[in-house]
């Protein structure tokens, strides 16, 4: 008789792991935790995810339940499971692919992207594989948008450089400003080649990292967003303030354009030459603050951030290389000392803030509205951040075994499609 009652009850009331989000919210209200209803609903926690929550997962991201409620809520979850599973045994997680909890882990886990890959692809549910590939597609889409953002900032920088040279102050009327380095050290003509050689070599190193890093799209996206944001800020500074040339004997005069088309052609020349003098291009007037220093700083910090921490000698060498490039900028008298110092400070601070927010999900979740208002570009690209990215490398080309398996799977699918109509006929 007892077994019959239990069967009737199980038919009337579904098992907690089969609850939807609304039923979970109702249960929270019944147990006195109605303050967490919206949090659980926002995290898409259904009954399957609820049954797998522990004290540890309740305390950490993305839930951040207060310590005073963690133990009580954990006890309530255990009592709920024991009420429906009198044996006291927790269900085998391999038998129940809880999609809702997997999505929570994928979006808010403090682990790396690789943990998400293993979490999803290791499950037998095809829907989870679809979720993972959807996430990968989203990463690629955001990377393409970041590239467009980077190209736009580079174009705006070229426009600002041409406008600054068009409004260049007269050297006779506005002599160079006093500078502690430029006034005490003579110009070194070949120093600009050193600074731009440092830039090119660091860009080449970044290219190697982008190609072989396991999470290349995330690294490339973050680098482009950081550099693009800094260069847009530089465009504003260069446009609003025109400083006199720091070197008297440098031959770079104010440019006069006959029409808009000739000015646009000059912008394209600066854009294609990346504003570098090593190719014979002469630009002046864009002094506040140094674009060369921005590139050197961001490239150095990116190489250090996305290479293993055990490569300490490489990181020390990169810092020395970075300061050598900045010294070469001053030695060539291409910028004031203030330009280089401000550029290094702004580039390093923005890089640090971006990485700190992207790697610490608690800062993202607790200050979501504030970040959305004050850092809209960062919020757009990092609102679904995965957390810390592991510095792992791989060959970007598929192996022969992977190619063979891909071809074999496609052949099997083709044969099944051909065989199915014949079988039904």
């Amino acid at each position: 008789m007892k077994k019959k009652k239990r069967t009737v009850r199980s038919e009337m009331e579904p098992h907690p792991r089969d609850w939807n989000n609304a039923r979970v919210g109702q249960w929270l209200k019944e147990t006195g935790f109605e303050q967490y209803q919206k949090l659980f609903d926002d995290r898409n926690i259904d009954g399957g995810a609820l049954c797998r929550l522990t004290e540890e997962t309740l305390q950490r991201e993305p839930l951040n339940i207060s310590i005073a409620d963690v133990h009580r809520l954990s006890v309530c979850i255990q009592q709920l499971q024991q009420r429906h599973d009198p044996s006291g045994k927790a269900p085998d997680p391999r038998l129940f692919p809880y999609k809702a909890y997997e999505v929570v882990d994928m979006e808010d886990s403090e682990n790396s992207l690789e943990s998400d890959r293993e979490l999803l692809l290791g499950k037998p549910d095809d829907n989870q594989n679809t979720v993972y590939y959807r996430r990968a597609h989203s990463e690629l889409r955001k990377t393409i948008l970041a590239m467009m953002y980077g190209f736009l900032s580079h174009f705006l920088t070229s426009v600002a450089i041409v406008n600054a040279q068009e409004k260049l102050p007269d050297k006779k009327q506005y002599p160079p400003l006093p500078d502690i380095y430029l006034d005490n050290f003579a110009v070194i003509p070949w120093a600009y080649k050193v600074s731009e050689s440092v830039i090119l070599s660091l860009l080449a190193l970044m290219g190697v990292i982008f190609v072989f890093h396991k999470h290349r799209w995330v690294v490339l996206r973050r680098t482009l967003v950081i550099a693009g944001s800094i260069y847009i800020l530089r465009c504003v500074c260069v446009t609003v303030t025109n400083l006199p040339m720091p070197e008297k004997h440098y031959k770079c005069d104010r440019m006069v354009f006959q029409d808009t088309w000739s000015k646009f052609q000059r912008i394209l020349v600066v854009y294609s030459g990346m504003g570098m003098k090593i190719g014979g291009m002469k630009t002046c007037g864009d002094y506040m603050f140094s674009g060369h220093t921005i590139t050197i700083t961001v490239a150095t910090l990116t190489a250090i951030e996305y290479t293993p921490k055990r490569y300490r000698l490489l990181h020390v060498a990169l810092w020395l290389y970075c300061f050598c490039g900045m010294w070469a900028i001053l030695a060539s008298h291409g910028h004031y000392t203030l330009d280089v110092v401000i550029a290094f400070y702004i580039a390093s601070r923005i890089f640090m803030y971006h990485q700190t927010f992207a790697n610490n999900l608690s800062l993202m979740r607790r200050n979501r509205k504030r970040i959305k208002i004050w850092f809209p570009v960062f919020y757009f690209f990092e609102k679904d951040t995965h957390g810390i990215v592991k510095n792992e490398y791989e060959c970007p080309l598929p192996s022969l075994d992977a190619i063979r398996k891909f071809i074999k799977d496609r052949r099997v699918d083709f044969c099944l499609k051909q065989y199915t109509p014949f079988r039904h006929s």
Side-chain angles (χ1 to χ4, degrees):
M1 188 68 182
K2 292 182 179 179
K3 292 184 178 179
K4 186 175 181 181
K5 288 183 179 180
R6 185 178 299 172
T7 304
V8 173
R9 181 182 179 183
S10 63
E11 290 178 356
M12 294 177 60
E13 182 180 356
H15 195 280
R17 63 171 171 264
D18 298 325
W19 289 355
N20 55 17
N21 297 7
R23 183 65 183 89
V24 171
Q26 181 183 353
W27 177 82
L28 289 172
K29 186 176 181 180
E30 293 172 356
T31 53
F33 296 100
E34 59 273 3
Q35 66 269 27
Y36 298 118
Q37 280 184 282
K38 187 177 185 305
L39 174 63
F40 276 52
D41 185 62
D42 292 342
R43 301 307 179 196
N44 195 25
I45 297 181
D46 59 3
L50 179 69
C51 293
R52 297 183 64 180
L53 291 177
T54 63
E55 290 190 14
E56 182 182 357
T57 54
L58 289 172
Q59 292 180 12
R60 68 183 186 185
E61 292 290 341
L63 296 178
N64 282 335
I65 303 296
S66 62
I67 299 177
D69 295 335
V70 165
H71 181 69
R72 294 194 298 112
L73 182 57
S74 177
V75 171
C76 291
I77 294 174
Q78 292 177 5
Q79 292 176 351
L80 178 68
Q81 290 178 307
Q82 290 175 359
R83 188 164 61 248
H84 290 79
D85 295 315
S87 61
K89 293 182 179 180
D92 188 352
R94 293 174 296 178
L95 302 179
F96 303 100
Y98 300 129
K99 180 179 177 182
Y101 185 71
E102 308 308 19
V103 174
V104 170
D105 270 358
M106 180 175 60
E107 292 184 352
D108 300 296
S109 173
E110 290 188 359
N111 297 328
S112 64
L113 298 178
E114 184 60 22
S115 63
D116 300 332
R117 184 196 300 264
E118 294 173 357
L119 179 67
L120 294 178
L121 297 184
K123 300 294 180 181
D125 189 3
D126 292 337
N127 292 331
Q128 292 180 353
N129 292 343
T130 303
V131 172
Y132 171 75
Y133 289 120
R134 190 179 301 165
R135 298 292 304 167
H137 177 73
S138 176
E139 290 294 339
L140 182 59
R141 179 177 62 86
K142 285 187 177 181
T143 304
I144 294 175
L145 292 176
M147 294 177 66
M148 296 173 62
Y149 180 72
F151 291 145
L152 175 63
S153 66
H154 182 40
F155 178 78
L156 294 177
T157 302
S158 302
V159 174
I161 291 174
V162 173
N163 288 333
Q165 192 168 359
E166 187 179 15
K167 300 177 182 178
L168 182 67
D170 186 14
K171 289 186 288 186
K172 296 181 180 179
Q173 187 177 358
Y174 299 96
L177 300 175
D179 188 278
I180 191 171
Y181 182 89
L182 304 183
D183 295 341
N184 294 281
F185 296 92
V187 60
I188 302 177
W190 47 265
Y192 77 91
K193 295 182 180 180
V194 174
S195 64
E196 295 187 349
S197 298
V198 169
I199 291 176
L200 294 176
S201 57
L202 287 174
L203 291 178
L205 177 60
M206 288 177 60
V208 173
I209 294 175
F210 294 152
V211 171
F212 292 99
H213 202 283
K214 200 167 188 177
H215 310 296
R216 56 188 63 87
W217 299 123
V218 178
V219 178
L220 177 60
R221 182 193 73 205
R222 290 182 177 178
T223 304
L224 289 172
V225 170
I226 292 171
S229 301
I230 300 171
Y231 270 102
I232 289 179
L233 176 61
R234 180 176 185 263
C235 293
V236 176
C237 295
V238 169
T239 302
V240 298
T241 303
N242 297 104
L243 298 179
M245 293 179 58
E247 174 58 38
K248 294 181 180 179
H249 306 290
Y250 182 65
K251 296 181 180 179
C252 184
D253 299 323
R254 177 186 298 181
M255 298 195 70
V256 179
F257 301 100
Q258 300 297 330
D259 50 18
T260 306
W261 175 245
S262 60
K263 184 177 181 178
F264 182 73
Q265 287 180 321
R266 175 62 180 176
I267 292 174
L268 294 180
V269 171
V270 176
Y271 182 87
S272 59
M274 299 177 62
M276 291 192 176
K277 302 175 184 177
I278 199 169
M281 182 183 305
K282 286 188 176 182
T283 58
C284 51
D286 54 322
Y287 297 119
M288 190 61 190
F289 40 93
S290 172
H292 285 49
T293 305
I294 295 173
T295 305
I296 292 174
T297 305
V298 173
T300 301
L301 293 174
T302 301
I304 293 174
E305 178 72 20
Y306 295 107
T307 51
K309 292 184 179 179
R310 64 179 181 272
Y311 294 173
R312 296 181 180 178
L313 291 178
L314 174 62
H315 297 167
V316 173
L318 285 172
W319 276 119
L320 294 176
Y321 202 51
C322 172
F323 291 126
C324 178
M326 289 189 288
W327 166 83
I329 295 172
L330 292 176
S332 64
H333 288 204
H335 278 278
Y336 292 101
T337 306
L338 181 65
D339 301 342
V340 177
V341 172
I342 294 297
F344 175 77
Y345 180 81
I346 292 176
S348 59
R349 294 311 95 181
I350 291 181
F351 186 94
M352 182 188 69
Y353 295 154
H354 189 108
Q355 297 295 333
T356 300
F357 276 110
N359 293 339
N360 293 274
L361 298 175
S362 60
L363 299 176
M364 281 283 293
R365 308 308 178 202
R366 294 176 182 175
N367 302 295
R368 182 182 295 271
K369 293 183 179 180
R370 183 179 301 175
I371 292 176
K372 188 175 182 180
I373 295 174
W374 289 100
F375 307 101
V377 176
F378 168 83
Y379 179 81
F380 174 78
F381 286 103
E382 300 290 346
K383 61 182 178 181
D384 298 324
T385 181
H386 299 272
I388 299 174
V389 175
K390 277 188 177 180
N391 290 322
E392 299 174 338
Y393 293 85
E394 65 179 3
C395 180
L397 300 177
S399 62
L400 292 177
D401 294 337
I403 295 175
R404 291 170 184 168
K405 186 177 182 303
F406 177 81
I407 296 175
K408 184 179 179 180
D409 293 341
R410 292 300 176 272
R411 286 179 178 175
V412 172
D413 293 340
F414 177 77
C415 293
L416 289 175
K417 290 180 181 178
Q418 296 295 324
Y419 175 71
T420 301
F422 174 77
R423 183 181 178 183
H424 289 290
S425 62

